mmCIF file of all heavy atoms in Angstrom:
data_model
loop_
_atom_site.group_PDB
_atom_site.id
_atom_site.type_symbol
_atom_site.label_atom_id
_atom_site.label_comp_id
_atom_site.label_asym_id
_atom_site.label_seq_id
_atom_site.Cartn_x
_atom_site.Cartn_y
_atom_site.Cartn_z
ATOM 1 N N SER A 303 101.728 99.483 88.011
ATOM 2 C CA SER A 303 101.911 98.346 88.897
ATOM 3 C C SER A 303 101.693 98.778 90.352
ATOM 4 O O SER A 303 102.186 99.797 90.786
ATOM 5 C CB SER A 303 103.340 97.761 88.716
ATOM 6 O OG SER A 303 103.558 96.715 89.663
ATOM 7 N N GLU A 304 100.946 97.977 91.058
ATOM 8 C CA GLU A 304 100.757 98.160 92.502
ATOM 9 C C GLU A 304 101.987 97.650 93.260
ATOM 10 O O GLU A 304 102.109 97.939 94.479
ATOM 11 C CB GLU A 304 99.506 97.445 92.971
ATOM 12 C CG GLU A 304 98.195 98.100 92.612
ATOM 13 C CD GLU A 304 97.841 99.215 93.536
ATOM 14 O OE1 GLU A 304 98.351 99.276 94.655
ATOM 15 O OE2 GLU A 304 97.029 100.109 93.127
ATOM 16 N N HIS A 305 102.843 96.929 92.595
ATOM 17 C CA HIS A 305 104.040 96.408 93.256
ATOM 18 C C HIS A 305 105.214 97.261 92.888
ATOM 19 O O HIS A 305 105.432 97.634 91.725
ATOM 20 C CB HIS A 305 104.262 94.934 92.847
ATOM 21 C CG HIS A 305 103.171 94.039 93.313
ATOM 22 N ND1 HIS A 305 103.154 92.703 92.978
ATOM 23 C CD2 HIS A 305 102.074 94.246 94.090
ATOM 24 C CE1 HIS A 305 102.073 92.130 93.531
ATOM 25 N NE2 HIS A 305 101.406 93.077 94.191
ATOM 26 N N ASP A 306 106.041 97.584 93.880
ATOM 27 C CA ASP A 306 107.100 98.602 93.677
ATOM 28 C C ASP A 306 108.214 98.410 94.636
ATOM 29 O O ASP A 306 108.577 97.279 94.968
ATOM 30 C CB ASP A 306 106.441 99.998 93.825
ATOM 31 C CG ASP A 306 105.668 100.197 95.105
ATOM 32 O OD1 ASP A 306 105.975 99.553 96.087
ATOM 33 O OD2 ASP A 306 104.720 101.035 95.084
ATOM 34 N N ILE A 307 108.784 99.519 95.163
ATOM 35 C CA ILE A 307 109.920 99.417 96.057
ATOM 36 C C ILE A 307 109.608 98.621 97.300
ATOM 37 O O ILE A 307 110.481 97.931 97.839
ATOM 38 C CB ILE A 307 110.422 100.823 96.440
ATOM 39 C CG1 ILE A 307 111.729 100.758 97.246
ATOM 40 C CG2 ILE A 307 109.345 101.652 97.175
ATOM 41 C CD1 ILE A 307 112.366 102.073 97.520
ATOM 42 N N LEU A 308 108.384 98.637 97.748
ATOM 43 C CA LEU A 308 107.961 97.919 98.957
ATOM 44 C C LEU A 308 108.189 96.425 98.786
ATOM 45 O O LEU A 308 108.736 95.724 99.652
ATOM 46 C CB LEU A 308 106.515 98.205 99.288
ATOM 47 C CG LEU A 308 105.976 97.750 100.654
ATOM 48 C CD1 LEU A 308 106.835 98.340 101.792
ATOM 49 C CD2 LEU A 308 104.526 98.166 100.759
ATOM 50 N N ASP A 309 107.820 95.920 97.589
ATOM 51 C CA ASP A 309 108.049 94.489 97.292
ATOM 52 C C ASP A 309 109.561 94.224 97.147
ATOM 53 O O ASP A 309 110.040 93.136 97.586
ATOM 54 C CB ASP A 309 107.349 94.133 95.967
ATOM 55 C CG ASP A 309 105.841 94.400 96.071
ATOM 56 O OD1 ASP A 309 105.443 95.565 96.031
ATOM 57 O OD2 ASP A 309 105.124 93.415 96.221
ATOM 58 N N GLY A 310 110.301 95.153 96.548
ATOM 59 C CA GLY A 310 111.749 94.947 96.459
ATOM 60 C C GLY A 310 112.424 94.925 97.836
ATOM 61 O O GLY A 310 113.324 94.150 98.020
ATOM 62 N N ILE A 311 111.922 95.738 98.779
ATOM 63 C CA ILE A 311 112.478 95.718 100.126
ATOM 64 C C ILE A 311 112.223 94.361 100.799
ATOM 65 O O ILE A 311 113.096 93.764 101.382
ATOM 66 C CB ILE A 311 111.859 96.861 100.972
ATOM 67 C CG1 ILE A 311 112.294 98.227 100.435
ATOM 68 C CG2 ILE A 311 112.243 96.727 102.434
ATOM 69 C CD1 ILE A 311 111.479 99.391 100.981
ATOM 70 N N ALA A 312 110.985 93.916 100.685
ATOM 71 C CA ALA A 312 110.626 92.605 101.289
ATOM 72 C C ALA A 312 111.476 91.457 100.713
ATOM 73 O O ALA A 312 111.935 90.592 101.445
ATOM 74 C CB ALA A 312 109.154 92.330 101.116
ATOM 75 N N LEU A 313 111.622 91.454 99.410
ATOM 76 C CA LEU A 313 112.487 90.435 98.786
ATOM 77 C C LEU A 313 113.897 90.495 99.248
ATOM 78 O O LEU A 313 114.567 89.471 99.462
ATOM 79 C CB LEU A 313 112.409 90.575 97.244
ATOM 80 C CG LEU A 313 111.109 90.056 96.591
ATOM 81 C CD1 LEU A 313 111.048 90.495 95.135
ATOM 82 C CD2 LEU A 313 110.998 88.542 96.663
ATOM 83 N N SER A 314 114.413 91.725 99.457
ATOM 84 C CA SER A 314 115.787 91.847 99.881
ATOM 85 C C SER A 314 115.987 91.337 101.296
ATOM 86 O O SER A 314 117.046 90.821 101.642
ATOM 87 C CB SER A 314 116.236 93.336 99.824
ATOM 88 O OG SER A 314 115.653 94.132 100.867
ATOM 89 N N VAL A 315 114.974 91.420 102.139
ATOM 90 C CA VAL A 315 114.995 90.874 103.496
ATOM 91 C C VAL A 315 115.198 89.370 103.420
ATOM 92 O O VAL A 315 116.027 88.770 104.130
ATOM 93 C CB VAL A 315 113.754 91.243 104.298
ATOM 94 C CG1 VAL A 315 113.788 90.524 105.673
ATOM 95 C CG2 VAL A 315 113.585 92.711 104.453
ATOM 96 N N ALA A 316 114.387 88.709 102.590
ATOM 97 C CA ALA A 316 114.443 87.260 102.445
ATOM 98 C C ALA A 316 115.787 86.821 101.893
ATOM 99 O O ALA A 316 116.402 85.835 102.344
ATOM 100 C CB ALA A 316 113.337 86.780 101.553
ATOM 101 N N GLN A 317 116.302 87.574 100.925
ATOM 102 C CA GLN A 317 117.590 87.226 100.322
ATOM 103 C C GLN A 317 118.738 87.359 101.317
ATOM 104 O O GLN A 317 119.678 86.574 101.301
ATOM 105 C CB GLN A 317 117.829 88.036 99.092
ATOM 106 C CG GLN A 317 116.921 87.741 97.940
ATOM 107 C CD GLN A 317 116.845 88.839 96.877
ATOM 108 O OE1 GLN A 317 117.481 89.884 96.997
ATOM 109 N NE2 GLN A 317 116.052 88.574 95.841
ATOM 110 N N GLN A 318 118.670 88.378 102.240
ATOM 111 C CA GLN A 318 119.670 88.522 103.238
ATOM 112 C C GLN A 318 119.635 87.404 104.246
ATOM 113 O O GLN A 318 120.657 87.028 104.818
ATOM 114 C CB GLN A 318 119.470 89.847 103.958
ATOM 115 C CG GLN A 318 119.833 91.051 103.139
ATOM 116 C CD GLN A 318 119.374 92.375 103.751
ATOM 117 O OE1 GLN A 318 118.818 92.371 104.880
ATOM 118 N NE2 GLN A 318 119.614 93.463 103.071
#
Side-chain angles (χ1 to χ4, degrees):
S303 176
E304 285 278 340
H305 295 176
D306 52 28
I307 188 173
L308 191 57
D309 300 74
I311 294 167
L313 284 169
S314 73
V315 176
Q317 290 163 358
Q318 290 169 1

